Amino acid sequence: MACVVEMDTAQFNVLVVVGLLVLFYGGTFLISTRIGKKEENADGYMTAGNNLGFGISAASMTATWIWAASMYASATSGYTYGISGPIHYGLWGALMILFIYPFGKRIRAIAPKAHTLAEVLYVRHGRSSQLMLAGSNIVGSLISLMSNFIAGGVLISLLSPFNFTQGVFAVAAGVLLYTLWSGFRASVLTDFVQVVAMLGAVAIIVPFIFFAAGFPAAFETGAGNLTAEQGDFFSSTAFMEQGAPYIAAVLAYAIGNQTIAQRLFAVKESLIKPTFITATIGYGAMVIGVGMLGVLALYLGFEPSGGDPNNIIPGMASEYLPPVLLALFFIMIVGALSSTADSDLAALSSIMMADVYGQNVAGKEKADPKTMLLVGRITMVVATAVAVAFASLQLNILDLLVFVGALWGALVFPVLASFYWGKVTGRAFTTSVLAALAVFLPVRFGWLPLGGVLGFVVDLLSIVGVGVVIGLMVFGFFGPRPAKVAGIAAAVVTAPFAIGSLHEYATLSGSLVAYSVSTILCWAMSVRRREEFDFAVIAQRTGDFDDDDAAAVGTAVPGRAADTGNDPEPAGTK
């Protein structure tokens, strides 16, 4: 394997890099062709028949949650906040996977054959709520796709003669190649291969870099490179700027992200719990382990290329790995970013197929499965082009992740309440989400001075947001009464520390006010309503598009009001 000697230039020559990319993407393409069907099925393209087994599902869930951005951002957190950084990033992210499964069991119970969460909201509330959730997922998946292309471009530009733009195009073309034909089924099958390769690579590469860099002596000689906060495992700065915002952000990711929902609808209903528990363990171990490379870089006084924290992991790898392990590292990162990028493409295609075309353009009873497949494939091509265009901005991946998660915080309570509480109306859903976004944006970006009374109000709303986050976590496992107790206790304990200071942490307070405003308004606008929704209607009105008999059921539900954009009296109201 040919490599150049100088560390500041390309590590692999052109033939080696092209060979590795062809090996990886060519192999995944061959795997996807094995499952391709001459007469493709629209429902299989979106959810693989709702019958995936444990191994494939757990691997796919792990691979989807572990993306190159997770690895890069975990290392950035370690480099920025010290040893507690990767713990805050990886541990809370892992626990959020765990928190999905009780909500997931409820969602599958009332919508066993759905394709997207937004599709369920269409039955629950009407078109406005559906498109609001679908639109947020389109934005989120495009940002996720862009982040993975950025990670791929950075990797290829640092380890080869190719530049960043060429690297982005190579990764984008490779992912599109094997995902386009078989959609979600290609994504989950290749995820299994990719996650096995990633786990093996991490188990070899991370310990090797540590010992090659002089571990454990490096942690003694390099201690002077750390500030007092970076050296403190219980750093308040690390928790307030990384840990707490990420707890709020990933809970929103877990509930609102279509890539997660798609796997929830695809796995056998009886396997939801073991699938998500396994993914929790796999994610935490891998992401925390890779993030420790950022901590090591901090102790070594390592300066990432161009001062860009996205370059920490590729830079450490190029400096301390021999050529064979550097090739393994290359495949590991390409596998990580590809496993999530293909999930984003599959999610975007399912949203456009089911939510846009299937229910809002053609209507469920008239939707043509062949046209749906064409819509899905066109969506993948267009989304790839858009993500490539925006990847040229080279934005900070960690900032993107936290921003999207905080943005989705406005949706968490209205979405979950819609699956449990029959009194929630479409008007309450839409109003609460829009109001939460209207408050989130100026707080998050500092558009208004947050001193005096305004700062006090933001602190109060943030305290309520803390209670909402903790309450929702407890609710999934233990029900409403323990959730109320835990939420109130969390708010009371937080209040003395938060009043007068929490608004200074824009990322955290922005996310928390989104939670609190949406929760308060959604509850206040729904609590006095006498009529309750009949959740049995959801199973009747969601289902396979390819099955004509199943589709016909959707027209047989009595009392369905016209879809006027925001059903105040949706189907199933009693």
Side-chain angles (χ1 to χ4, degrees), residues 244-250 252 402-403 405-410 436 439-441 443-444 461-462 465-466 469 505-518:
Y246 201 60
I247 293 172
V250 293
V402 175
F403 170 73
L407 191 64
W408 275 342
V439 176
F440 162 76
L441 292 172
V443 173
R444 172 62 181 84
L461 289 174
S462 298
V466 171
V469 172
Y505 298 91
T507 300
L508 176 57
S509 57
S511 180
L512 292 175
V513 297
Y515 275 95
S516 61
V517 170
S518 61

PDB file of all heavy atoms in Angstrom, residues 244-250 252 402-403 405-410 436 439-441 443-444 461-462 465-466 469 505-518:
ATOM      1  N   ALA A 244     -26.072  18.856  29.166  1.00  0.00           N
ATOM      2  CA  ALA A 244     -27.491  19.216  29.289  1.00  0.00           C
ATOM      3  C   ALA A 244     -28.138  19.530  27.932  1.00  0.00           C
ATOM      4  O   ALA A 244     -29.239  19.036  27.647  1.00  0.00           O
ATOM      5  CB  ALA A 244     -27.646  20.393  30.248  1.00  0.00           C
ATOM      6  N   PRO A 245     -27.502  20.334  27.057  1.00  0.00           N
ATOM      7  CA  PRO A 245     -28.127  20.563  25.747  1.00  0.00           C
ATOM      8  C   PRO A 245     -28.291  19.276  24.950  1.00  0.00           C
ATOM      9  O   PRO A 245     -29.265  19.107  24.219  1.00  0.00           O
ATOM     10  CB  PRO A 245     -27.145  21.522  25.045  1.00  0.00           C
ATOM     11  CG  PRO A 245     -26.406  22.185  26.146  1.00  0.00           C
ATOM     12  CD  PRO A 245     -26.291  21.159  27.228  1.00  0.00           C
ATOM     13  N   TYR A 246     -27.348  18.363  25.130  1.00  0.00           N
ATOM     14  CA  TYR A 246     -27.430  17.136  24.346  1.00  0.00           C
ATOM     15  C   TYR A 246     -28.516  16.210  24.868  1.00  0.00           C
ATOM     16  O   TYR A 246     -29.148  15.486  24.107  1.00  0.00           O
ATOM     17  CB  TYR A 246     -26.073  16.428  24.336  1.00  0.00           C
ATOM     18  CG  TYR A 246     -25.948  15.469  23.179  1.00  0.00           C
ATOM     19  CD1 TYR A 246     -26.055  15.926  21.869  1.00  0.00           C
ATOM     20  CD2 TYR A 246     -25.757  14.112  23.386  1.00  0.00           C
ATOM     21  CE1 TYR A 246     -25.967  15.059  20.796  1.00  0.00           C
ATOM     22  CE2 TYR A 246     -25.666  13.233  22.325  1.00  0.00           C
ATOM     23  CZ  TYR A 246     -25.772  13.712  21.020  1.00  0.00           C
ATOM     24  OH  TYR A 246     -25.699  12.853  19.967  1.00  0.00           O
ATOM     25  N   ILE A 247     -28.738  16.211  26.177  1.00  0.00           N
ATOM     26  CA  ILE A 247     -29.848  15.421  26.728  1.00  0.00           C
ATOM     27  C   ILE A 247     -31.159  15.868  26.087  1.00  0.00           C
ATOM     28  O   ILE A 247     -31.975  15.055  25.640  1.00  0.00           O
ATOM     29  CB  ILE A 247     -29.928  15.583  28.260  1.00  0.00           C
ATOM     30  CG1 ILE A 247     -28.707  14.961  28.935  1.00  0.00           C
ATOM     31  CG2 ILE A 247     -31.202  14.940  28.796  1.00  0.00           C
ATOM     32  CD1 ILE A 247     -28.624  15.250  30.416  1.00  0.00           C
ATOM     33  N   ALA A 248     -31.356  17.181  26.049  1.00  0.00           N
ATOM     34  CA  ALA A 248     -32.588  17.712  25.456  1.00  0.00           C
ATOM     35  C   ALA A 248     -32.636  17.471  23.949  1.00  0.00           C
ATOM     36  O   ALA A 248     -33.680  17.116  23.393  1.00  0.00           O
ATOM     37  CB  ALA A 248     -32.697  19.207  25.752  1.00  0.00           C
ATOM     38  N   ALA A 249     -31.489  17.627  23.297  1.00  0.00           N
ATOM     39  CA  ALA A 249     -31.458  17.513  21.842  1.00  0.00           C
ATOM     40  C   ALA A 249     -31.722  16.090  21.378  1.00  0.00           C
ATOM     41  O   ALA A 249     -32.504  15.854  20.450  1.00  0.00           O
ATOM     42  CB  ALA A 249     -30.116  18.002  21.303  1.00  0.00           C
ATOM     43  N   VAL A 250     -31.079  15.109  22.004  1.00  0.00           N
ATOM     44  CA  VAL A 250     -31.225  13.743  21.502  1.00  0.00           C
ATOM     45  C   VAL A 250     -32.578  13.148  21.854  1.00  0.00           C
ATOM     46  O   VAL A 250     -33.051  12.240  21.168  1.00  0.00           O
ATOM     47  CB  VAL A 250     -30.082  12.829  21.999  1.00  0.00           C
ATOM     48  CG1 VAL A 250     -28.754  13.245  21.413  1.00  0.00           C
ATOM     49  CG2 VAL A 250     -30.004  12.798  23.500  1.00  0.00           C
ATOM     50  N   ALA A 252     -35.271  14.836  21.539  1.00  0.00           N
ATOM     51  CA  ALA A 252     -36.038  15.325  20.397  1.00  0.00           C
ATOM     52  C   ALA A 252     -35.709  14.528  19.138  1.00  0.00           C
ATOM     53  O   ALA A 252     -36.587  14.201  18.338  1.00  0.00           O
ATOM     54  CB  ALA A 252     -35.751  16.812  20.177  1.00  0.00           C
ATOM     55  N   VAL A 402     -26.663  19.788  17.633  1.00  0.00           N
ATOM     56  CA  VAL A 402     -27.369  20.359  18.778  1.00  0.00           C
ATOM     57  C   VAL A 402     -28.478  21.289  18.315  1.00  0.00           C
ATOM     58  O   VAL A 402     -29.575  21.315  18.884  1.00  0.00           O
ATOM     59  CB  VAL A 402     -26.381  21.099  19.705  1.00  0.00           C
ATOM     60  CG1 VAL A 402     -27.128  21.800  20.832  1.00  0.00           C
ATOM     61  CG2 VAL A 402     -25.368  20.112  20.295  1.00  0.00           C
ATOM     62  N   PHE A 403     -28.237  22.042  17.239  1.00  0.00           N
ATOM     63  CA  PHE A 403     -29.253  22.964  16.737  1.00  0.00           C
ATOM     64  C   PHE A 403     -30.486  22.218  16.254  1.00  0.00           C
ATOM     65  O   PHE A 403     -31.620  22.562  16.607  1.00  0.00           O
ATOM     66  CB  PHE A 403     -28.689  23.816  15.595  1.00  0.00           C
ATOM     67  CG  PHE A 403     -29.749  24.619  14.884  1.00  0.00           C
ATOM     68  CD1 PHE A 403     -30.320  25.723  15.499  1.00  0.00           C
ATOM     69  CD2 PHE A 403     -30.197  24.260  13.619  1.00  0.00           C
ATOM     70  CE1 PHE A 403     -31.311  26.462  14.861  1.00  0.00           C
ATOM     71  CE2 PHE A 403     -31.179  24.985  12.981  1.00  0.00           C
ATOM     72  CZ  PHE A 403     -31.733  26.086  13.606  1.00  0.00           C
ATOM     73  N   GLY A 405     -31.472  19.175  17.020  1.00  0.00           N
ATOM     74  CA  GLY A 405     -32.140  18.545  18.148  1.00  0.00           C
ATOM     75  C   GLY A 405     -32.959  19.527  18.961  1.00  0.00           C
ATOM     76  O   GLY A 405     -34.090  19.240  19.381  1.00  0.00           O
ATOM     77  N   ALA A 406     -32.406  20.722  19.187  1.00  0.00           N
ATOM     78  CA  ALA A 406     -33.139  21.744  19.933  1.00  0.00           C
ATOM     79  C   ALA A 406     -34.359  22.216  19.154  1.00  0.00           C
ATOM     80  O   ALA A 406     -35.432  22.443  19.718  1.00  0.00           O
ATOM     81  CB  ALA A 406     -32.213  22.924  20.231  1.00  0.00           C
ATOM     82  N   LEU A 407     -34.213  22.337  17.865  1.00  0.00           N
ATOM     83  CA  LEU A 407     -35.329  22.760  17.022  1.00  0.00           C
ATOM     84  C   LEU A 407     -36.477  21.762  17.115  1.00  0.00           C
ATOM     85  O   LEU A 407     -37.651  22.138  17.208  1.00  0.00           O
ATOM     86  CB  LEU A 407     -34.848  22.889  15.574  1.00  0.00           C
ATOM     87  CG  LEU A 407     -35.781  23.570  14.568  1.00  0.00           C
ATOM     88  CD1 LEU A 407     -36.002  25.019  14.943  1.00  0.00           C
ATOM     89  CD2 LEU A 407     -35.197  23.471  13.167  1.00  0.00           C
ATOM     90  N   TRP A 408     -36.139  20.482  17.131  1.00  0.00           N
ATOM     91  CA  TRP A 408     -37.156  19.448  17.234  1.00  0.00           C
ATOM     92  C   TRP A 408     -37.782  19.381  18.627  1.00  0.00           C
ATOM     93  O   TRP A 408     -38.818  18.742  18.815  1.00  0.00           O
ATOM     94  CB  TRP A 408     -36.556  18.089  16.878  1.00  0.00           C
ATOM     95  CG  TRP A 408     -36.553  17.815  15.400  1.00  0.00           C
ATOM     96  CD1 TRP A 408     -37.300  18.455  14.453  1.00  0.00           C
ATOM     97  CD2 TRP A 408     -35.772  16.848  14.710  1.00  0.00           C
ATOM     98  NE1 TRP A 408     -37.024  17.938  13.213  1.00  0.00           N
ATOM     99  CE2 TRP A 408     -36.082  16.949  13.331  1.00  0.00           C
ATOM    100  CE3 TRP A 408     -34.824  15.903  15.105  1.00  0.00           C
ATOM    101  CZ2 TRP A 408     -35.500  16.144  12.364  1.00  0.00           C
ATOM    102  CZ3 TRP A 408     -34.246  15.099  14.136  1.00  0.00           C
ATOM    103  CH2 TRP A 408     -34.576  15.223  12.793  1.00  0.00           C
ATOM    104  N   GLY A 409     -37.158  20.021  19.618  1.00  0.00           N
ATOM    105  CA  GLY A 409     -37.732  20.031  20.961  1.00  0.00           C
ATOM    106  C   GLY A 409     -39.137  20.618  20.989  1.00  0.00           C
ATOM    107  O   GLY A 409     -39.956  20.251  21.832  1.00  0.00           O
ATOM    108  N   ALA A 410     -39.429  21.495  20.045  1.00  0.00           N
ATOM    109  CA  ALA A 410     -40.766  22.093  19.969  1.00  0.00           C
ATOM    110  C   ALA A 410     -41.831  21.063  19.613  1.00  0.00           C
ATOM    111  O   ALA A 410     -43.022  21.268  19.878  1.00  0.00           O
ATOM    112  CB  ALA A 410     -40.772  23.218  18.931  1.00  0.00           C
ATOM    113  N   ALA A 436     -43.624  27.689  20.028  1.00  0.00           N
ATOM    114  CA  ALA A 436     -42.347  27.249  20.595  1.00  0.00           C
ATOM    115  C   ALA A 436     -41.185  27.636  19.689  1.00  0.00           C
ATOM    116  O   ALA A 436     -40.124  28.069  20.161  1.00  0.00           O
ATOM    117  CB  ALA A 436     -42.375  25.743  20.826  1.00  0.00           C
ATOM    118  N   VAL A 439     -40.336  31.301  19.981  1.00  0.00           N
ATOM    119  CA  VAL A 439     -39.570  31.637  21.189  1.00  0.00           C
ATOM    120  C   VAL A 439     -38.159  31.080  21.108  1.00  0.00           C
ATOM    121  O   VAL A 439     -37.187  31.723  21.519  1.00  0.00           O
ATOM    122  CB  VAL A 439     -40.287  31.089  22.442  1.00  0.00           C
ATOM    123  CG1 VAL A 439     -39.458  31.350  23.691  1.00  0.00           C
ATOM    124  CG2 VAL A 439     -41.666  31.730  22.585  1.00  0.00           C
ATOM    125  N   PHE A 440     -38.024  29.879  20.563  1.00  0.00           N
ATOM    126  CA  PHE A 440     -36.722  29.218  20.486  1.00  0.00           C
ATOM    127  C   PHE A 440     -35.696  30.032  19.703  1.00  0.00           C
ATOM    128  O   PHE A 440     -34.557  30.229  20.155  1.00  0.00           O
ATOM    129  CB  PHE A 440     -36.880  27.834  19.843  1.00  0.00           C
ATOM    130  CG  PHE A 440     -35.610  27.242  19.322  1.00  0.00           C
ATOM    131  CD1 PHE A 440     -34.676  26.687  20.191  1.00  0.00           C
ATOM    132  CD2 PHE A 440     -35.331  27.237  17.957  1.00  0.00           C
ATOM    133  CE1 PHE A 440     -33.497  26.140  19.709  1.00  0.00           C
ATOM    134  CE2 PHE A 440     -34.153  26.690  17.473  1.00  0.00           C
ATOM    135  CZ  PHE A 440     -33.230  26.139  18.349  1.00  0.00           C
ATOM    136  N   LEU A 441     -36.078  30.500  18.530  1.00  0.00           N
ATOM    137  CA  LEU A 441     -35.116  31.145  17.637  1.00  0.00           C
ATOM    138  C   LEU A 441     -34.453  32.386  18.246  1.00  0.00           C
ATOM    139  O   LEU A 441     -33.220  32.501  18.231  1.00  0.00           O
ATOM    140  CB  LEU A 441     -35.783  31.471  16.303  1.00  0.00           C
ATOM    141  CG  LEU A 441     -36.157  30.249  15.449  1.00  0.00           C
ATOM    142  CD1 LEU A 441     -36.987  30.667  14.237  1.00  0.00           C
ATOM    143  CD2 LEU A 441     -34.898  29.504  15.007  1.00  0.00           C
ATOM    144  N   VAL A 443     -34.131  33.186  21.401  1.00  0.00           N
ATOM    145  CA  VAL A 443     -33.335  32.804  22.581  1.00  0.00           C
ATOM    146  C   VAL A 443     -32.053  32.118  22.141  1.00  0.00           C
ATOM    147  O   VAL A 443     -30.961  32.420  22.640  1.00  0.00           O
ATOM    148  CB  VAL A 443     -34.157  31.885  23.507  1.00  0.00           C
ATOM    149  CG1 VAL A 443     -33.280  31.344  24.640  1.00  0.00           C
ATOM    150  CG2 VAL A 443     -35.345  32.641  24.087  1.00  0.00           C
ATOM    151  N   ARG A 444     -32.168  31.198  21.193  1.00  0.00           N
ATOM    152  CA  ARG A 444     -31.000  30.431  20.754  1.00  0.00           C
ATOM    153  C   ARG A 444     -29.951  31.319  20.094  1.00  0.00           C
ATOM    154  O   ARG A 444     -28.741  31.138  20.289  1.00  0.00           O
ATOM    155  CB  ARG A 444     -31.460  29.340  19.775  1.00  0.00           C
ATOM    156  CG  ARG A 444     -30.323  28.572  19.079  1.00  0.00           C
ATOM    157  CD  ARG A 444     -29.464  27.828  20.070  1.00  0.00           C
ATOM    158  NE  ARG A 444     -28.376  27.117  19.407  1.00  0.00           N
ATOM    159  CZ  ARG A 444     -27.221  27.672  19.070  1.00  0.00           C
ATOM    160  NH1 ARG A 444     -27.002  28.960  19.348  1.00  0.00           N
ATOM    161  NH2 ARG A 444     -26.282  26.961  18.482  1.00  0.00           N
ATOM    162  N   LEU A 461     -39.156  29.647  32.090  1.00  0.00           N
ATOM    163  CA  LEU A 461     -39.571  28.715  31.042  1.00  0.00           C
ATOM    164  C   LEU A 461     -38.580  27.558  30.922  1.00  0.00           C
ATOM    165  O   LEU A 461     -38.969  26.403  30.692  1.00  0.00           O
ATOM    166  CB  LEU A 461     -39.697  29.440  29.705  1.00  0.00           C
ATOM    167  CG  LEU A 461     -40.866  30.412  29.563  1.00  0.00           C
ATOM    168  CD1 LEU A 461     -40.773  31.167  28.241  1.00  0.00           C
ATOM    169  CD2 LEU A 461     -42.199  29.667  29.653  1.00  0.00           C
ATOM    170  N   SER A 462     -37.291  27.852  31.084  1.00  0.00           N
ATOM    171  CA  SER A 462     -36.273  26.801  31.010  1.00  0.00           C
ATOM    172  C   SER A 462     -36.431  25.799  32.144  1.00  0.00           C
ATOM    173  O   SER A 462     -36.243  24.592  31.962  1.00  0.00           O
ATOM    174  CB  SER A 462     -34.870  27.417  31.047  1.00  0.00           C
ATOM    175  OG  SER A 462     -34.654  28.260  29.938  1.00  0.00           O
ATOM    176  N   GLY A 465     -39.053  23.603  31.271  1.00  0.00           N
ATOM    177  CA  GLY A 465     -38.525  22.694  30.257  1.00  0.00           C
ATOM    178  C   GLY A 465     -37.750  21.536  30.858  1.00  0.00           C
ATOM    179  O   GLY A 465     -37.843  20.401  30.379  1.00  0.00           O
ATOM    180  N   VAL A 466     -36.981  21.799  31.910  1.00  0.00           N
ATOM    181  CA  VAL A 466     -36.263  20.720  32.609  1.00  0.00           C
ATOM    182  C   VAL A 466     -37.265  19.695  33.137  1.00  0.00           C
ATOM    183  O   VAL A 466     -37.092  18.475  32.985  1.00  0.00           O
ATOM    184  CB  VAL A 466     -35.420  21.280  33.765  1.00  0.00           C
ATOM    185  CG1 VAL A 466     -34.867  20.145  34.629  1.00  0.00           C
ATOM    186  CG2 VAL A 466     -34.284  22.134  33.231  1.00  0.00           C
ATOM    187  N   VAL A 469     -38.665  17.572  30.207  1.00  0.00           N
ATOM    188  CA  VAL A 469     -37.723  16.567  29.705  1.00  0.00           C
ATOM    189  C   VAL A 469     -37.648  15.372  30.644  1.00  0.00           C
ATOM    190  O   VAL A 469     -37.769  14.208  30.223  1.00  0.00           O
ATOM    191  CB  VAL A 469     -36.325  17.182  29.497  1.00  0.00           C
ATOM    192  CG1 VAL A 469     -35.303  16.093  29.175  1.00  0.00           C
ATOM    193  CG2 VAL A 469     -36.358  18.220  28.380  1.00  0.00           C
ATOM    194  N   TYR A 505     -26.776  30.503  28.956  1.00  0.00           N
ATOM    195  CA  TYR A 505     -26.409  29.356  28.120  1.00  0.00           C
ATOM    196  C   TYR A 505     -27.435  29.252  26.993  1.00  0.00           C
ATOM    197  O   TYR A 505     -28.470  28.600  27.129  1.00  0.00           O
ATOM    198  CB  TYR A 505     -26.368  28.074  28.952  1.00  0.00           C
ATOM    199  CG  TYR A 505     -25.342  28.117  30.062  1.00  0.00           C
ATOM    200  CD1 TYR A 505     -25.686  28.564  31.338  1.00  0.00           C
ATOM    201  CD2 TYR A 505     -24.028  27.726  29.827  1.00  0.00           C
ATOM    202  CE1 TYR A 505     -24.745  28.611  32.356  1.00  0.00           C
ATOM    203  CE2 TYR A 505     -23.082  27.766  30.851  1.00  0.00           C
ATOM    204  CZ  TYR A 505     -23.447  28.210  32.107  1.00  0.00           C
ATOM    205  OH  TYR A 505     -22.508  28.263  33.114  1.00  0.00           O
ATOM    206  N   ALA A 506     -27.148  29.897  25.875  1.00  0.00           N
ATOM    207  CA  ALA A 506     -28.141  30.058  24.808  1.00  0.00           C
ATOM    208  C   ALA A 506     -28.593  28.729  24.223  1.00  0.00           C
ATOM    209  O   ALA A 506     -29.789  28.525  23.961  1.00  0.00           O
ATOM    210  CB  ALA A 506     -27.576  30.948  23.705  1.00  0.00           C
ATOM    211  N   THR A 507     -27.667  27.805  24.001  1.00  0.00           N
ATOM    212  CA  THR A 507     -28.030  26.527  23.391  1.00  0.00           C
ATOM    213  C   THR A 507     -28.978  25.746  24.284  1.00  0.00           C
ATOM    214  O   THR A 507     -30.007  25.226  23.840  1.00  0.00           O
ATOM    215  CB  THR A 507     -26.773  25.683  23.114  1.00  0.00           C
ATOM    216  OG1 THR A 507     -25.915  26.401  22.228  1.00  0.00           O
ATOM    217  CG2 THR A 507     -27.142  24.353  22.479  1.00  0.00           C
ATOM    218  N   LEU A 508     -28.648  25.680  25.579  1.00  0.00           N
ATOM    219  CA  LEU A 508     -29.461  24.926  26.519  1.00  0.00           C
ATOM    220  C   LEU A 508     -30.813  25.599  26.750  1.00  0.00           C
ATOM    221  O   LEU A 508     -31.867  24.951  26.681  1.00  0.00           O
ATOM    222  CB  LEU A 508     -28.713  24.761  27.838  1.00  0.00           C
ATOM    223  CG  LEU A 508     -29.473  24.075  28.979  1.00  0.00           C
ATOM    224  CD1 LEU A 508     -29.937  22.696  28.557  1.00  0.00           C
ATOM    225  CD2 LEU A 508     -28.607  24.008  30.230  1.00  0.00           C
ATOM    226  N   SER A 509     -30.799  26.884  27.036  1.00  0.00           N
ATOM    227  CA  SER A 509     -32.062  27.572  27.341  1.00  0.00           C
ATOM    228  C   SER A 509     -32.980  27.622  26.124  1.00  0.00           C
ATOM    229  O   SER A 509     -34.207  27.516  26.253  1.00  0.00           O
ATOM    230  CB  SER A 509     -31.788  28.986  27.866  1.00  0.00           C
ATOM    231  OG  SER A 509     -31.025  29.740  26.944  1.00  0.00           O
ATOM    232  N   GLY A 510     -32.414  27.760  24.924  1.00  0.00           N
ATOM    233  CA  GLY A 510     -33.235  27.750  23.721  1.00  0.00           C
ATOM    234  C   GLY A 510     -33.982  26.438  23.571  1.00  0.00           C
ATOM    235  O   GLY A 510     -35.176  26.413  23.254  1.00  0.00           O
ATOM    236  N   SER A 511     -33.286  25.340  23.804  1.00  0.00           N
ATOM    237  CA  SER A 511     -33.917  24.031  23.710  1.00  0.00           C
ATOM    238  C   SER A 511     -34.991  23.852  24.778  1.00  0.00           C
ATOM    239  O   SER A 511     -36.103  23.363  24.496  1.00  0.00           O
ATOM    240  CB  SER A 511     -32.861  22.931  23.857  1.00  0.00           C
ATOM    241  OG  SER A 511     -33.441  21.663  23.777  1.00  0.00           O
ATOM    242  N   LEU A 512     -34.693  24.266  25.998  1.00  0.00           N
ATOM    243  CA  LEU A 512     -35.640  24.071  27.095  1.00  0.00           C
ATOM    244  C   LEU A 512     -36.901  24.918  26.942  1.00  0.00           C
ATOM    245  O   LEU A 512     -38.004  24.467  27.260  1.00  0.00           O
ATOM    246  CB  LEU A 512     -34.949  24.384  28.429  1.00  0.00           C
ATOM    247  CG  LEU A 512     -33.855  23.402  28.857  1.00  0.00           C
ATOM    248  CD1 LEU A 512     -33.168  23.879  30.120  1.00  0.00           C
ATOM    249  CD2 LEU A 512     -34.435  22.001  29.059  1.00  0.00           C
ATOM    250  N   VAL A 513     -36.758  26.150  26.456  1.00  0.00           N
ATOM    251  CA  VAL A 513     -37.973  26.965  26.268  1.00  0.00           C
ATOM    252  C   VAL A 513     -38.838  26.399  25.154  1.00  0.00           C
ATOM    253  O   VAL A 513     -40.074  26.524  25.183  1.00  0.00           O
ATOM    254  CB  VAL A 513     -37.635  28.451  25.988  1.00  0.00           C
ATOM    255  CG1 VAL A 513     -36.926  29.088  27.162  1.00  0.00           C
ATOM    256  CG2 VAL A 513     -36.844  28.625  24.702  1.00  0.00           C
ATOM    257  N   ALA A 514     -38.216  25.743  24.162  1.00  0.00           N
ATOM    258  CA  ALA A 514     -39.004  25.093  23.112  1.00  0.00           C
ATOM    259  C   ALA A 514     -39.866  23.982  23.711  1.00  0.00           C
ATOM    260  O   ALA A 514     -41.055  23.839  23.380  1.00  0.00           O
ATOM    261  CB  ALA A 514     -38.088  24.541  22.027  1.00  0.00           C
ATOM    262  N   TYR A 515     -39.264  23.184  24.600  1.00  0.00           N
ATOM    263  CA  TYR A 515     -40.023  22.140  25.281  1.00  0.00           C
ATOM    264  C   TYR A 515     -41.164  22.737  26.110  1.00  0.00           C
ATOM    265  O   TYR A 515     -42.306  22.268  26.059  1.00  0.00           O
ATOM    266  CB  TYR A 515     -39.110  21.338  26.213  1.00  0.00           C
ATOM    267  CG  TYR A 515     -38.363  20.207  25.568  1.00  0.00           C
ATOM    268  CD1 TYR A 515     -37.060  20.373  25.104  1.00  0.00           C
ATOM    269  CD2 TYR A 515     -38.938  18.950  25.444  1.00  0.00           C
ATOM    270  CE1 TYR A 515     -36.356  19.326  24.527  1.00  0.00           C
ATOM    271  CE2 TYR A 515     -38.247  17.895  24.871  1.00  0.00           C
ATOM    272  CZ  TYR A 515     -36.961  18.085  24.418  1.00  0.00           C
ATOM    273  OH  TYR A 515     -36.274  17.048  23.848  1.00  0.00           O
ATOM    274  N   SER A 516     -40.838  23.741  26.905  1.00  0.00           N
ATOM    275  CA  SER A 516     -41.820  24.251  27.861  1.00  0.00           C
ATOM    276  C   SER A 516     -42.981  24.962  27.173  1.00  0.00           C
ATOM    277  O   SER A 516     -44.151  24.735  27.508  1.00  0.00           O
ATOM    278  CB  SER A 516     -41.149  25.198  28.863  1.00  0.00           C
ATOM    279  OG  SER A 516     -40.585  26.320  28.223  1.00  0.00           O
ATOM    280  N   VAL A 517     -42.697  25.828  26.204  1.00  0.00           N
ATOM    281  CA  VAL A 517     -43.759  26.583  25.537  1.00  0.00           C
ATOM    282  C   VAL A 517     -44.704  25.639  24.793  1.00  0.00           C
ATOM    283  O   VAL A 517     -45.929  25.776  24.870  1.00  0.00           O
ATOM    284  CB  VAL A 517     -43.149  27.632  24.584  1.00  0.00           C
ATOM    285  CG1 VAL A 517     -44.239  28.247  23.705  1.00  0.00           C
ATOM    286  CG2 VAL A 517     -42.439  28.722  25.374  1.00  0.00           C
ATOM    287  N   SER A 518     -44.150  24.663  24.067  1.00  0.00           N
ATOM    288  CA  SER A 518     -45.008  23.741  23.329  1.00  0.00           C
ATOM    289  C   SER A 518     -45.852  22.906  24.279  1.00  0.00           C
ATOM    290  O   SER A 518     -47.033  22.631  24.003  1.00  0.00           O
ATOM    291  CB  SER A 518     -44.166  22.829  22.431  1.00  0.00           C
ATOM    292  OG  SER A 518     -43.270  22.035  23.188  1.00  0.00           O
TER     293      SER A 518
END
